[in-house]
Amino acid sequence: MSALDMVYASGRLHYLGRAMAATCGRAGVRDDKTEGDGATPRGSLRIAALMYRPDRVAPPAPWALPIYLGDLWCDDPAHKSYNQLCRAPLKASHEQMRRADPQYDIVLITDWNWPKARPGAGSAIFMHQWRRPGAPTAGCIAMARPDIRWLASRVAPGTRLIVR
């Protein structure tokens, strides 16, 4: 482990000497992550991308990509675009990236089961704003808006996230 690693454990995310309250999946942290199980995978992940809503926030970092109308994330293990960013229309099961709520105004995308996804091993482990303080996720790691903004302005592609 390096001083530049993010570490999530027991409801806290640690990075660059700062500890932030954070939540994980409603099923907790698991070694055997599967699609739709509500768990956050234990292990070492890497930050692969950063996306933001340009109609709501300024780019949090120079490498951030805008989330456009029609941006989707495919979560259908049987589809060829499983665990990939896609565009509407998409008949396969998917998640809207441009949400009505602020959860995905800033999204750090990890490399969990990516870029070569194994069907059923789980998709879309993001870091994003939580619904409300302490609310669990479907498997992502969530935190307060000021904390995700702070984090997104400091991480770089490849930053390691260790989930314990």
Side-chain angles (χ1 to χ4, degrees):
M1 190 167 74
S2 138
L4 298 178
D5 292 336
M6 289 184 281
V7 177
Y8 172 83
S10 303
R12 305 293 285 172
L13 181 75
H14 300 268
Y15 188 58
L16 299 178
R18 184 172 174 169
M20 298 160 267
T23 58
C24 66
R26 65 184 176 276
V29 175
R30 295 181 48 170
D31 294 318
D32 57 344
K33 170 78 182 143
T34 60
E35 186 65 44
D37 65 1
T40 302
R42 182 183 330 273
S44 178
L45 293 75
R46 298 267 178 190
I47 299 301
L50 168 59
M51 297 186 80
Y52 72 101
R53 285 282 301 265
D55 59 321
R56 293 184 178 169
V57 297
W63 58 284
L65 302 171
I67 298 171
Y68 294 114
L69 283 170
D71 281 348
L72 312 170
W73 197 272
C74 181
D75 58 12
D76 182 345
H79 196 272
K80 65 181 172 84
S81 296
Y82 177 55
N83 202 24
Q84 300 290 325
L85 182 66
C86 299
R87 298 282 303 154
L90 180 68
K91 289 184 180 181
S93 176
H94 60 271
E95 186 164 352
Q96 296 280 343
M97 293 300 293
R98 196 171 177 112
R99 298 170 57 116
D101 65 37
Q103 286 186 65
Y104 289 2
D105 285 1
I106 297 173
V107 180
L108 287 161
I109 300 171
T110 73
D111 67 351
W112 174 255
N113 198 23
W114 181 91
K116 294 188 183 214
R118 289 175 294 123
S123 63
I125 302 301
F126 298 154
M127 299 179 79
H128 61 77
Q129 180 179 327
W130 54 26
R131 274 189 314 265
R132 63 184 182 285
T137 69
C140 297
I141 293 177
M143 63 204 73
R145 187 178 189 92
D147 292 333
I148 192 68
R149 290 179 72 104
W150 181 88
L151 192 63
S153 71
R154 287 163 176 79
V155 299
T159 299
R160 190 162 67 156
L161 167 62
I162 298 168
V163 179
R164 295 186 176 152

